[in-house]
Amino acid sequence: MIRVGVVGASGWADSSHLPALAALEEFDVTAVATTNQASADRAAAAHGARHAFADARELAAHPEVDLVVVSVKTPGHAAVIRAALAAGKHVVSEWPLGVDADEARELTEAATAAGVVHAVVLQGHHSPSARFAAGLLADGRIGTLESVALVAEGAPFGGSRIWPNLVFSLDPSTGTNILTIMAGHFLAALERVAGPLTEVNARLPRTHDRVLIAGTDRTVPNATPSHVLLHGLLAGGATASVVVHGGNGPAREGFHLELVGSDATLTATPAQPGTFIHWGDWNIRIDDEALPVPDAYRTVPGSVRSGPPANIAALYQEVARAIAEARQPHPSFESALRHHRLLAAIEQSAADGIVRHIS
């Protein structure tokens, strides 16, 4: 049994990580931490955890915690991860790993030196739909992949309004914006299907220099992109075109993914309109043939709700296997660092207009 401490238990983790962990017999949530003791106590009671903390360092140091889950805002990731590594604990961090590629590199080096298992939550890697689509390509169902196009909605980032709880994201130093969060997850799903990008030529237009705080008449400065536009090449030689457009939400269509092969074309759209590519199930077609995702691609218990809880549960299954086999899971911090470098290449290309290669 792997004993888990969840930092940020009253936020995103409450509807994703904690339901996923509760359904898996390999894990036992023994501790939670939030920003204050009262909310930590409530989260512990709600999820049956024995220990509640208002200090993530205390959680990480507790002897009944083997694995620390980092599910706080991106600027807070580094401190929690470092506390877990100092205590010799395994770590699962939400994406992004750090606020930028430099911080991601430092955290990856520290995790490697600590000799613990480390994983990052890029849900597209464990999406049953993405894995099935990747399998179809690998089996040659569309011939040789020649071109990939993805159009996706990036709301709630990039619009003329912002939710009050996301005002902090208008500062690029927080590492939380349409490029890092939305395009970051969307590109991970695309690469899971079609293989890695090796070069990019990008634009990051900023449509709104000031943004209205929703529910108020107050505007605030914005220094982050409104949209993400890129062309690139994949490792297999195919071209890629990606548009992530910001907006005020809610999302209407979600995404449209098209993979053109030498023999046929695979298209994917959300089974539930308005869901993100890394969250929900896909409607997949090859030319005119609809292809439901086989049950074999769903590895988690049926009680886990489809979408983020199921995808995150699949990641935890991979983490449990990695701990048992004394290896790193996928995606690990190394995977996250490479993904941070992809986003940095997009930023550099947008800044200087030069095609950038991804190392």
Side-chain angles (χ1 to χ4, degrees), residues 51-358:
H51 308 286
F53 301 95
D55 187 333
R57 293 169 298 181
E58 293 181 19
L59 178 146
H62 198 279
E64 291 185 21
V65 172
D66 305 313
L67 167 70
V68 176
V69 175
V70 183
S71 184
V72 296
K73 291 179 179 178
T74 305
H77 284 190
V80 180
I81 291 170
R82 290 182 180 122
L85 298 178
K89 306 301 173 68
H90 306 304
V91 186
V92 171
S93 175
E94 268 292 343
W95 169 264
L97 179 58
V99 295
D100 56 27
D102 288 339
E103 187 170 79
R105 175 183 51 78
E106 293 170 5
L107 294 171
T108 300
E109 291 173 352
T112 300
V116 300
V117 166
H118 43 80
V120 68
V121 183
L122 284 166
Q123 292 183 43
H125 284 270
H126 295 282
S127 158
S129 297
R131 291 169 48 234
F132 177 49
L136 293 170
L137 265 65
D139 291 341
R141 291 290 302 273
I142 65 170
T144 301
L145 180 64
E146 297 181 348
S147 179
V148 176
L150 171 65
V151 177
E153 298 178 48
F157 297 100
S160 60
R161 299 190 302 273
I162 194 75
W163 297 340
N165 65 321
L166 289 176
V167 169
F168 78 97
S169 70
L170 302 177
D171 178 353
S173 69
T174 66
T176 307
N177 54 63
I178 194 169
L179 173 64
T180 60
I181 301 297
M182 311 310 279
H185 277 295
F186 301 167
L187 290 171
L190 184 152
E191 290 192 323
R192 178 65 183 87
V193 176
L197 283 154
T198 57
E199 65 177 57
V200 292
N201 185 7
R203 296 291 182 272
L204 297 173
R206 185 173 70 247
T207 307
H208 309 287
D209 291 329
R210 296 190 68 86
V211 174
L212 178 71
I213 301 176
T216 77
D217 58 2
R218 188 162 63 93
T219 65
V220 289
N222 170 46
T224 62
S226 301
H227 313 282
V228 178
L229 317 172
L230 70 88
H231 298 289
L233 291 178
L234 298 167
T239 63
S241 177
V242 177
V243 176
V244 180
H245 55 88
N248 298 315
R252 297 170 300 279
E253 300 298 328
F255 69 91
H256 181 95
L257 175 65
E258 188 167 290
L259 300 106
V260 179
S262 57
D263 300 329
T265 296
L266 184 151
T267 58
T269 55
Q272 181 179 351
T275 53
F276 300 128
I277 192 171
H278 62 294
W279 275 21
D281 294 329
W282 303 356
N283 289 326
I284 297 174
R285 306 184 70 88
I286 292 182
D287 292 340
D288 294 327
E289 179 186 6
L291 298 170
V293 178
D295 290 341
Y297 285 87
R298 306 182 191 278
T299 62
V300 303
S303 59
V304 183
R305 179 170 53 87
S306 178
N311 295 341
I312 292 173
L315 169 64
Y316 281 117
Q317 289 178 323
E318 164 68 356
V319 169
R321 289 190 296 267
I323 291 173
E325 297 166 6
R327 61 171 176 84
Q328 290 303 333
H330 186 73
S332 66
F333 280 18
E334 284 93 351
S335 310
L337 176 56
R338 188 263 168 198
H339 208 54
H340 271 284
R341 287 173 173 158
L342 166 61
L343 300 188
I346 292 171
E347 287 186 304
Q348 292 161 0
S349 176
D352 58 26
I354 297 174
V355 173
R356 293 286 178 169
H357 298 272
I358 297 96

